[in-house]
Structures are given as C-alpha cells and as structure tokens.
Amino acid sequence: ASMGRTLVELFYDVISPYSWLAFEALCRYRHIWNIELRFRPAFLGGIMQQTGNKPPGMLPKRGEYLMKDVKRMAKYYQVPLHMTPDALQHILGTSSLTAMRFITAIDMTNPQYLEPLSRQFWMRFWSQHEDISQPENILAIARQAGLSAELSQKALEMASSPPVKERLKDTTTEALKHGAFGMPAVVAHYDGKPHLFFGSDRLELLGSIIGESTSFHHLGFMLS
C-alpha cells in the first residue's frame, strides 16, 4: 500500500447482495479513511463449494430474515437494491461464473473500468432483476459502464481463456486462504497481518481496528 495507507481488499461476487452494500460503503469510506481499497473479483460458488457453506436461503427462517435485513441495509446505505419475493430463487438459479470471468478480464486489461463495471452488474441484477449470465446481457452491461463495443467484445472472448480462468481461481483461493467462507470477504492488512471481516455489517469494527472512525455524522456526510 502507498505511504501509510492501510490496504483493504474486497473479495466479492456480483451475485451477492451484501457484497454490493460493502462495495458502496467502502467506496465512500475510501474518501475519509486513510485506506487503499483494492477490488478483488472472486467466485462465490467456488468458496461455497470449498468450505461446504450453503446459501442462506436454503434455511427458510434464515431466508425470511435475509429478505428483511437486505431491505433495511439497502435503505441505511442508500443503495438501490430491491429484494423481490423470489430473489433467493433468482440467486440459486443464476450462475455468476461468466460474469465474474468477464469482470476479471477487465481487471487484467483495463482496471480503470473495474468499479463502474462491477456496480453496473449489481444494478442489473439487484435493481432491475435482469439476467447477468448471458453474453449479450454482459455486453450491454459493459456498454452501460462506459466500455467500448470493441473492448467489451475482446473481454468476452478473453473470459473463456485459461489466463482469465486461472486468475479468477487464484483470487478465489486467496480469499479462502484468508479464511473466507462467503461473500463479501473484506481483508485489511494492518500491523503486518491480514484481518478478515465477513459481510457488510462489520465495517465499523474494521474501522476501529485500523484506527479510523465510523461515527454517524461521518456516515451522514458520506451519504448526502
């Protein structure tokens, strides 16, 4: 990390609603905390499989809670995330693998688009409830995020190439090595060691560990 800045890595998958909340919150904190924020696109399916974790919606009571919780969190963080009654089926029925490979290809070739592109995937899936697994939708999302048709097409072709597949696999493995079992996995490198925080509701704790304040007037200032 650059001089005195704490490196904070966000391992995320665009299929995860809590990842979107953590992403937007960290994008705001980046302006008031002394951190270097690094986006690490990874594959949630791989993490679930490797750790034997199950989607929260598999447990009906937990699914019920998650619906309410995400609604409250979205309102609190002012993120246009809309949970439909069938949102959990929607997640289970969608593979984010191609999307995350596409995002990885952009990270490798044109990282300046990584933030707007990731945000656009969440908007499509969680705000507009559109399919993010089909190539033509992926290209439309990329155009919306400001990528040229040429660049989008090239990234889509790259998405199925060995280097991109390897990179996504490696990033996912790295998240697992840090102890991740789901998404988002936020890793702060502080005091010479990595500290893992799971979910979007541990950012105050992360702040206090790295010596940053998350007081409410700060939050108000960031949201306005």
Side-chain angles (χ1 to χ4, degrees):
S2 46
M3 273 306 290
R5 283 184 180 268
T6 301
L7 172 63
V8 175
E9 297 182 279
L10 170 66
F11 292 88
Y12 67 93
D13 185 317
V14 293
I15 200 120
S16 152
Y18 288 109
S19 290
W20 189 13
L21 297 168
F23 172 90
E24 297 298 356
L26 285 167
C27 282
R28 294 166 193 167
Y29 280 136
R30 184 174 56 185
H31 301 293
I32 52 171
W33 284 1
N34 192 24
I35 59 172
E36 181 191 324
L37 181 57
R38 192 176 295 166
F39 300 119
R40 306 295 309 276
F43 182 48
L44 180 57
I47 286 185
M48 300 298 258
Q49 197 187 350
Q50 291 295 312
T51 57
N53 196 355
K54 300 260 185 299
M58 303 290 267
L59 184 65
K61 279 292 170 203
R62 202 175 160 200
E64 263 171 55
Y65 175 77
L66 179 134
M67 300 289 287
K68 293 186 186 119
D69 187 53
V70 169
K71 222 176 223 165
R72 288 187 296 221
M73 292 286 279
K75 195 175 170 189
Y76 178 73
Y77 282 121
Q78 295 182 13
V79 174
L81 199 169
H82 307 296
M83 288 297 259
T84 54
D86 62 350
L88 300 175
Q89 279 64 44
H90 195 39
I91 300 184
L92 294 175
T94 303
S95 169
S96 62
L97 187 57
T98 310
M100 294 317 296
R101 281 178 179 161
F102 182 85
I103 291 169
T104 299
I106 289 298
D107 187 23
M108 290 166 78
T109 55
N110 295 85
Q112 71 275 24
Y113 288 113
L114 185 57
E115 184 183 330
L117 178 66
S118 301
R119 182 176 285 118
Q120 207 53 241
F121 267 99
W122 275 304
M123 290 292 289
R124 278 294 168 112
F125 193 72
W126 285 107
S127 214
Q128 296 151 10
H129 306 292
E130 289 174 23
D131 190 358
I132 56 166
S133 62
Q134 297 310 308
E136 61 276 17
N137 293 28
I138 289 174
L139 290 173
I141 291 167
R143 296 302 303 277
Q144 193 79 46
L147 282 80
S148 69
E150 192 186 1
L151 197 59
S152 311
Q153 194 57 52
K154 205 175 112 207
L156 190 61
E157 284 157 25
M158 267 184 77
S160 53
S161 71
V164 170
K165 290 179 174 178
E166 274 315 298
R167 167 77 168 258
L168 182 60
K169 217 182 199 157
D170 290 349
T171 306
T172 306
T173 302
E174 212 179 308
L176 286 161
K177 279 194 187 126
H178 285 309
F181 51 87
M183 297 271 191
V186 182
V187 178
H189 298 266
Y190 190 71
D191 258 358
K193 56 181 183 287
H195 302 260
L196 171 76
F197 299 87
F198 170 66
S200 56
D201 56 351
R202 285 291 180 271
L203 301 177
E204 285 79 4
L205 188 60
L206 176 144
S208 92
I209 282 172
I210 64 172
E212 296 287 355
S213 153
T214 56
S215 61
F216 282 106
H217 59 269
H218 262 127
L219 201 57
F221 152 74
M222 291 181 331
L223 293 175
S224 57

